[in-house]
Amino acid sequence: MRRAISARLNDHFRGTGEDGWTFLSAGVAALPISTKDAIIRAVRLFRDFTPDNDPCGEHDCAALTVGKHRIIWKIDYHPQGGRQSVDPGVADPRSVRRIMTIMLAEEY
């Protein structure tokens, strides 16, 4: 149940950007705008989770190829307002901010 809730919240954030922040690494940020757009779109639409690339079932990280670029994205959780969350993966989005980093694989 916990993993399913976490996956749902992560999918919502990744697909909409709501209730969190998205950062591009220096390598991704330096790419042409059309390439950055394609990468962001691919990350937002990513649905190819398998036990190999998502062993915990939380949809919080994956790797994919966009054009000639190997991309890794990762969602981390940070408490908001100085509050500590017992379980940030499923916590109320008002108490935990999701932060996604999209990077080139070689930057990882």
Side-chain angles (χ1 to χ4, degrees), residues 2 5-7 9-10 58 77 85-91 96 98:
R2 177 207 171 284
I5 294 169
S6 184
L9 291 169
N10 286 336
E58 295 182 356
Y77 314 103
S85 171
V86 175
D87 190 351
V90 298
V96 170
R98 283 172 164 71

Side-chain angles (χ1 to χ4, degrees), residues 62-75:
L64 63 148
T65 301
V66 179
K68 63 180 182 173
H69 301 285
R70 188 72 177 155
I71 302 298
I72 297 173
W73 59 266
K74 172 76 174 109
I75 297 173

Side-chain angles (χ1 to χ4, degrees), residues 43-101:
V43 169
R44 286 192 168 178
L45 297 175
F46 185 83
R47 300 286 184 267
D48 297 330
F49 294 102
T50 68
D52 288 333
N53 69 16
D54 188 32
C56 294
E58 295 182 356
H59 298 189
D60 62 349
C61 183
L64 63 148
T65 301
V66 179
K68 63 180 182 173
H69 301 285
R70 188 72 177 155
I71 302 298
I72 297 173
W73 59 266
K74 172 76 174 109
I75 297 173
D76 293 299
Y77 314 103
H78 295 276
Q80 295 193 76
R83 291 179 254 157
Q84 292 296 320
S85 171
V86 175
D87 190 351
V90 298
D92 184 327
R94 292 171 293 180
S95 66
V96 170
R97 180 168 312 277
R98 283 172 164 71
I99 299 176
M100 179 169 57
T101 304

Side-chain angles (χ1 to χ4, degrees), residues 28-49:
V28 173
L31 295 170
I33 189 73
S34 60
T35 304
K36 284 188 278 200
D37 286 347
I39 289 169
I40 292 167
R41 184 173 21 265
V43 169
R44 286 192 168 178
L45 297 175
F46 185 83
R47 300 286 184 267
D48 297 330
F49 294 102

